Amino acid sequence: MFDTSRLSHAYITDESFADTLAMAVVCGTRDGNRPCGTCRHCEKALRHIHPDIISIDRIDGKLIIAVDQIREIQRDVLVIPNDSEKKAYIVRNADAMNINAQNAFLRILEEPPAFTVFILSTGNPAALLPTVRSRCVELKSMSVGEYIDNITNREELDGILSGFIEALAGDNVKLMECMFRIDKLDRLALHDFLSLARGKVISSLREEPGSGFTDKRKTLVRAENVLIKAGEMMDLNISSGHIAGFICASLV
Ligand SMILES: [Zn+2]
């Protein structure tokens, strides 16, 4: 999701995304895509017990985040991370920082230690000082739950896609198995499946050597038409089960 070698020092995002982003900061996976959702750092982050994710919020009953709370961060940022390579500070309801607090925060942003990332979580970025906003990258949201579903769906989708292309060589059992799995995908993943499968079918058609209407070509052309039709069925809000049944019946 994130190439963490290019992580910025400060972000503005909404509440639902702040935790995913903090998880990406502490994630221990070695490749660029974080958070992986499965390493021990991500697990701790999901359970809200990671020592390098520090949350600041309004103190009970108060309407503002006061300058003292930001001064505490100012001292804490100098301490190296406990467990991870980086630390994430989440300022929840960041728009509740009063002017003094925001100015103190600006001073931290002027010279942040290399191992810290600040995440301002707010539904109302316009309430922050322009000087604060200009030092932060604004990100759109995806909750931790949505993100995990997304990875799970992606893996499942890749599996179905390669199975589907293989099945087009005449393996009807495999085709039925793929359609059974399609039925379990959410609508967004099904939509992706239809367009990705169509893309693969089209490139297989291009790669098919020679000319003439071979059996393989016929199957691929038929598959492309079936996938287009299935896409139209999706637009009409027809259930995934019916769409899977239609693809299966049209291709066996
Ligand atoms: Zn991880």
Side-chain angles (χ1 to χ4, degrees):
M1 169 176 246
F2 300 104
D3 178 353
T4 37
S5 60
R6 287 185 296 149
L7 264 182
S8 168
H9 276 301
Y11 292 89
I12 295 173
T13 185
D14 67 21
E15 187 63 32
S16 62
F17 195 49
D19 293 297
T20 310
L21 187 54
M23 187 159 94
V25 171
V26 298
C27 174
T29 189
R30 287 290 155 199
D31 72 41
N33 288 321
R34 307 186 196 184
C36 68
T38 52
C39 72
R40 69 184 179 89
H41 292 290
C42 286
E43 267 176 28
K44 282 188 195 173
L46 281 167
R47 288 160 59 210
H48 300 286
I49 55 163
H50 201 291
D52 296 316
I53 298 178
I54 300 110
S55 261
I56 299 99
D57 202 345
R58 291 178 296 210
I59 297 170
D60 316 304
K62 297 220 170 119
L63 289 175
I64 58 155
I65 294 175
V67 67
D68 292 346
Q69 289 175 266
I70 304 301
R71 288 206 183 110
E72 254 170 62
I73 304 181
Q74 217 162 0
R75 284 187 288 272
D76 194 67
V77 286
L78 303 170
V79 181
I80 59 163
N82 247 294
D83 201 7
S84 259
E85 283 171 15
K86 282 178 187 278
K87 297 204 277 191
Y89 289 87
I90 306 179
V91 183
R92 299 190 193 273
N93 298 300
D95 52 286
M97 284 191 284
N98 64 10
I99 301 287
N100 287 340
Q102 291 197 50
N103 280 323
F105 186 72
L106 261 180
R107 282 194 289 280
I108 306 178
L109 284 187
E110 275 160 14
E111 249 182 305
F115 50 75
T116 55
V117 175
F118 298 93
I119 301 162
L120 301 182
S121 127
T122 171
N124 183 19
L128 295 168
L129 293 175
T131 40
V132 171
R133 277 182 90 176
S134 68
R135 282 182 170 78
C136 301
V137 175
E138 289 189 33
L139 286 177
K140 78 177 194 71
S141 66
M142 189 189 269
S143 71
V144 174
E146 278 168 337
Y147 178 68
I148 299 294
D149 284 351
N150 198 279
I151 313 180
T152 318
N153 264 323
R154 279 305 109 178
E155 284 168 1
E156 176 64 1
L157 194 58
D158 286 345
I160 302 174
L161 259 179
S162 47
F164 177 76
I165 299 299
E166 281 169 45
L168 288 180
D171 188 340
N172 289 339
V173 176
K174 187 164 250 169
L175 181 66
M176 279 187 256
E177 189 193 293
C178 288
M179 291 309 116
F180 181 74
R181 285 164 75 185
I182 273 191
D183 188 20
K184 308 264 176 296
L185 290 178
D186 64 30
R187 298 294 280 183
L188 199 63
L190 176 59
H191 183 271
D192 286 353
F193 168 79
L194 294 175
S195 57
L196 291 171
R198 200 175 148 217
K200 282 202 181 241
V201 165
I202 292 170
S203 53
S204 305
L205 260 173
R206 283 206 197 101
E207 284 160 18
E208 189 58 7
S211 56
F213 227 45
T214 59
D215 279 351
K216 188 166 179 202
R217 243 196 205 106
K218 279 185 209 162
T219 310
L220 290 170
V221 170
R222 193 150 54 108
E224 195 199 346
N225 288 325
V226 168
L227 291 167
I228 293 172
K229 191 98 185 96
E232 290 167 4
M233 290 167 81
M234 265 210 89
D235 295 338
L236 294 172
N237 238 342
I238 291 171
S239 77
S240 307
H242 279 97
I243 294 174
F246 163 77
I247 297 175
C248 207
S250 312
L251 290 176
V252 290

PDB file of all heavy atoms in Angstrom, residues 63-78:
ATOM      1  N   LEU A  63     -12.651  20.427  25.403  1.00  0.00           N
ATOM      2  CA  LEU A  63     -12.968  20.624  23.986  1.00  0.00           C
ATOM      3  C   LEU A  63     -11.728  20.818  23.138  1.00  0.00           C
ATOM      4  O   LEU A  63     -11.763  20.671  21.925  1.00  0.00           O
ATOM      5  CB  LEU A  63     -13.885  21.842  23.813  1.00  0.00           C
ATOM      6  CG  LEU A  63     -15.323  21.659  24.319  1.00  0.00           C
ATOM      7  CD1 LEU A  63     -16.090  22.966  24.218  1.00  0.00           C
ATOM      8  CD2 LEU A  63     -16.030  20.565  23.525  1.00  0.00           C
ATOM      9  N   ILE A  64     -10.649  21.166  23.796  1.00  0.00           N
ATOM     10  CA  ILE A  64      -9.445  21.454  23.010  1.00  0.00           C
ATOM     11  C   ILE A  64      -8.276  20.540  23.381  1.00  0.00           C
ATOM     12  O   ILE A  64      -8.250  19.940  24.450  1.00  0.00           O
ATOM     13  CB  ILE A  64      -8.979  22.923  23.169  1.00  0.00           C
ATOM     14  CG1 ILE A  64      -8.722  23.216  24.654  1.00  0.00           C
ATOM     15  CG2 ILE A  64      -9.968  23.895  22.569  1.00  0.00           C
ATOM     16  CD1 ILE A  64      -7.730  24.332  24.851  1.00  0.00           C
ATOM     17  N   ILE A  65      -7.334  20.453  22.449  1.00  0.00           N
ATOM     18  CA  ILE A  65      -6.050  19.834  22.746  1.00  0.00           C
ATOM     19  C   ILE A  65      -5.139  21.005  23.078  1.00  0.00           C
ATOM     20  O   ILE A  65      -4.943  21.909  22.258  1.00  0.00           O
ATOM     21  CB  ILE A  65      -5.518  19.043  21.535  1.00  0.00           C
ATOM     22  CG1 ILE A  65      -6.453  17.850  21.255  1.00  0.00           C
ATOM     23  CG2 ILE A  65      -4.085  18.573  21.778  1.00  0.00           C
ATOM     24  CD1 ILE A  65      -6.100  17.055  20.003  1.00  0.00           C
ATOM     25  N   ALA A  66      -4.626  21.010  24.303  1.00  0.00           N
ATOM     26  CA  ALA A  66      -3.895  22.182  24.783  1.00  0.00           C
ATOM     27  C   ALA A  66      -2.418  22.087  24.448  1.00  0.00           C
ATOM     28  O   ALA A  66      -1.890  21.013  24.144  1.00  0.00           O
ATOM     29  CB  ALA A  66      -4.083  22.315  26.287  1.00  0.00           C
ATOM     30  N   VAL A  67      -1.763  23.232  24.531  1.00  0.00           N
ATOM     31  CA  VAL A  67      -0.349  23.327  24.166  1.00  0.00           C
ATOM     32  C   VAL A  67       0.528  22.402  25.027  1.00  0.00           C
ATOM     33  O   VAL A  67       1.512  21.847  24.534  1.00  0.00           O
ATOM     34  CB  VAL A  67       0.121  24.808  24.208  1.00  0.00           C
ATOM     35  CG1 VAL A  67       0.119  25.355  25.628  1.00  0.00           C
ATOM     36  CG2 VAL A  67       1.476  24.958  23.552  1.00  0.00           C
ATOM     37  N   ASP A  68       0.129  22.183  26.292  1.00  0.00           N
ATOM     38  CA  ASP A  68       0.923  21.297  27.152  1.00  0.00           C
ATOM     39  C   ASP A  68       1.023  19.890  26.580  1.00  0.00           C
ATOM     40  O   ASP A  68       2.062  19.230  26.697  1.00  0.00           O
ATOM     41  CB  ASP A  68       0.303  21.204  28.555  1.00  0.00           C
ATOM     42  CG  ASP A  68       0.420  22.520  29.289  1.00  0.00           C
ATOM     43  OD1 ASP A  68       1.208  23.376  28.822  1.00  0.00           O
ATOM     44  OD2 ASP A  68      -0.280  22.690  30.315  1.00  0.00           O
ATOM     45  N   GLN A  69      -0.072  19.436  25.976  1.00  0.00           N
ATOM     46  CA  GLN A  69      -0.065  18.086  25.413  1.00  0.00           C
ATOM     47  C   GLN A  69       0.924  17.986  24.251  1.00  0.00           C
ATOM     48  O   GLN A  69       1.593  16.984  24.061  1.00  0.00           O
ATOM     49  CB  GLN A  69      -1.470  17.699  24.917  1.00  0.00           C
ATOM     50  CG  GLN A  69      -2.452  17.468  26.052  1.00  0.00           C
ATOM     51  CD  GLN A  69      -3.849  17.220  25.510  1.00  0.00           C
ATOM     52  OE1 GLN A  69      -4.640  18.141  25.393  1.00  0.00           O
ATOM     53  NE2 GLN A  69      -4.137  15.976  25.145  1.00  0.00           N
ATOM     54  N   ILE A  70       1.010  19.074  23.471  1.00  0.00           N
ATOM     55  CA  ILE A  70       1.938  19.076  22.342  1.00  0.00           C
ATOM     56  C   ILE A  70       3.377  19.196  22.854  1.00  0.00           C
ATOM     57  O   ILE A  70       4.293  18.586  22.319  1.00  0.00           O
ATOM     58  CB  ILE A  70       1.602  20.225  21.347  1.00  0.00           C
ATOM     59  CG1 ILE A  70       0.142  20.104  20.876  1.00  0.00           C
ATOM     60  CG2 ILE A  70       2.544  20.222  20.155  1.00  0.00           C
ATOM     61  CD1 ILE A  70      -0.230  18.803  20.189  1.00  0.00           C
ATOM     62  N   ARG A  71       3.550  19.958  23.935  1.00  0.00           N
ATOM     63  CA  ARG A  71       4.915  20.069  24.501  1.00  0.00           C
ATOM     64  C   ARG A  71       5.422  18.723  24.986  1.00  0.00           C
ATOM     65  O   ARG A  71       6.607  18.429  24.907  1.00  0.00           O
ATOM     66  CB  ARG A  71       4.926  21.092  25.638  1.00  0.00           C
ATOM     67  CG  ARG A  71       4.782  22.495  25.092  1.00  0.00           C
ATOM     68  CD  ARG A  71       5.405  23.536  26.009  1.00  0.00           C
ATOM     69  NE  ARG A  71       5.153  24.852  25.436  1.00  0.00           N
ATOM     70  CZ  ARG A  71       4.326  25.753  25.955  1.00  0.00           C
ATOM     71  NH1 ARG A  71       3.704  25.501  27.108  1.00  0.00           N
ATOM     72  NH2 ARG A  71       4.146  26.906  25.354  1.00  0.00           N
ATOM     73  N   GLU A  72       4.508  17.911  25.490  1.00  0.00           N
ATOM     74  CA  GLU A  72       4.896  16.559  25.907  1.00  0.00           C
ATOM     75  C   GLU A  72       5.440  15.767  24.719  1.00  0.00           C
ATOM     76  O   GLU A  72       6.429  15.051  24.838  1.00  0.00           O
ATOM     77  CB  GLU A  72       3.693  15.811  26.483  1.00  0.00           C
ATOM     78  CG  GLU A  72       3.743  15.667  27.994  1.00  0.00           C
ATOM     79  CD  GLU A  72       2.416  15.138  28.534  1.00  0.00           C
ATOM     80  OE1 GLU A  72       2.052  14.004  28.166  1.00  0.00           O
ATOM     81  OE2 GLU A  72       1.753  15.881  29.289  1.00  0.00           O
ATOM     82  N   ILE A  73       4.765  15.910  23.574  1.00  0.00           N
ATOM     83  CA  ILE A  73       5.249  15.219  22.364  1.00  0.00           C
ATOM     84  C   ILE A  73       6.625  15.745  22.001  1.00  0.00           C
ATOM     85  O   ILE A  73       7.523  14.994  21.655  1.00  0.00           O
ATOM     86  CB  ILE A  73       4.323  15.456  21.143  1.00  0.00           C
ATOM     87  CG1 ILE A  73       2.897  15.039  21.444  1.00  0.00           C
ATOM     88  CG2 ILE A  73       4.840  14.717  19.922  1.00  0.00           C
ATOM     89  CD1 ILE A  73       1.975  15.230  20.244  1.00  0.00           C
ATOM     90  N   GLN A  74       6.767  17.062  22.116  1.00  0.00           N
ATOM     91  CA  GLN A  74       8.032  17.700  21.753  1.00  0.00           C
ATOM     92  C   GLN A  74       9.217  17.046  22.469  1.00  0.00           C
ATOM     93  O   GLN A  74      10.276  16.877  21.889  1.00  0.00           O
ATOM     94  CB  GLN A  74       7.943  19.171  22.152  1.00  0.00           C
ATOM     95  CG  GLN A  74       8.616  20.100  21.200  1.00  0.00           C
ATOM     96  CD  GLN A  74       8.131  21.533  21.403  1.00  0.00           C
ATOM     97  OE1 GLN A  74       7.282  21.819  22.257  1.00  0.00           O
ATOM     98  NE2 GLN A  74       8.657  22.430  20.609  1.00  0.00           N
ATOM     99  N   ARG A  75       9.016  16.673  23.732  1.00  0.00           N
ATOM    100  CA  ARG A  75      10.082  15.981  24.468  1.00  0.00           C
ATOM    101  C   ARG A  75      10.184  14.529  24.021  1.00  0.00           C
ATOM    102  O   ARG A  75      11.272  14.000  23.811  1.00  0.00           O
ATOM    103  CB  ARG A  75       9.806  16.042  25.972  1.00  0.00           C
ATOM    104  CG  ARG A  75      10.105  17.395  26.576  1.00  0.00           C
ATOM    105  CD  ARG A  75       9.977  17.364  28.086  1.00  0.00           C
ATOM    106  NE  ARG A  75       8.574  17.272  28.519  1.00  0.00           N
ATOM    107  CZ  ARG A  75       7.797  18.340  28.723  1.00  0.00           C
ATOM    108  NH1 ARG A  75       8.273  19.557  28.546  1.00  0.00           N
ATOM    109  NH2 ARG A  75       6.558  18.193  29.102  1.00  0.00           N
ATOM    110  N   ASP A  76       9.025  13.919  23.857  1.00  0.00           N
ATOM    111  CA  ASP A  76       8.986  12.485  23.558  1.00  0.00           C
ATOM    112  C   ASP A  76       9.579  12.129  22.186  1.00  0.00           C
ATOM    113  O   ASP A  76      10.125  11.046  22.009  1.00  0.00           O
ATOM    114  CB  ASP A  76       7.533  12.000  23.663  1.00  0.00           C
ATOM    115  CG  ASP A  76       7.440  10.483  23.704  1.00  0.00           C
ATOM    116  OD1 ASP A  76       7.891   9.906  24.711  1.00  0.00           O
ATOM    117  OD2 ASP A  76       6.966   9.884  22.720  1.00  0.00           O
ATOM    118  N   VAL A  77       9.458  13.059  21.216  1.00  0.00           N
ATOM    119  CA  VAL A  77       9.939  12.744  19.860  1.00  0.00           C
ATOM    120  C   VAL A  77      11.439  12.456  19.816  1.00  0.00           C
ATOM    121  O   VAL A  77      11.912  11.791  18.903  1.00  0.00           O
ATOM    122  CB  VAL A  77       9.669  13.864  18.805  1.00  0.00           C
ATOM    123  CG1 VAL A  77       8.222  13.916  18.427  1.00  0.00           C
ATOM    124  CG2 VAL A  77      10.192  15.192  19.247  1.00  0.00           C
ATOM    125  N   LEU A  78      12.162  12.965  20.808  1.00  0.00           N
ATOM    126  CA  LEU A  78      13.610  12.773  20.795  1.00  0.00           C
ATOM    127  C   LEU A  78      14.012  11.360  21.225  1.00  0.00           C
ATOM    128  O   LEU A  78      15.129  10.922  20.963  1.00  0.00           O
ATOM    129  CB  LEU A  78      14.286  13.807  21.699  1.00  0.00           C
ATOM    130  CG  LEU A  78      13.962  15.260  21.326  1.00  0.00           C
ATOM    131  CD1 LEU A  78      14.458  16.226  22.388  1.00  0.00           C
ATOM    132  CD2 LEU A  78      14.559  15.604  19.952  1.00  0.00           C
TER     133      LEU A  78
END
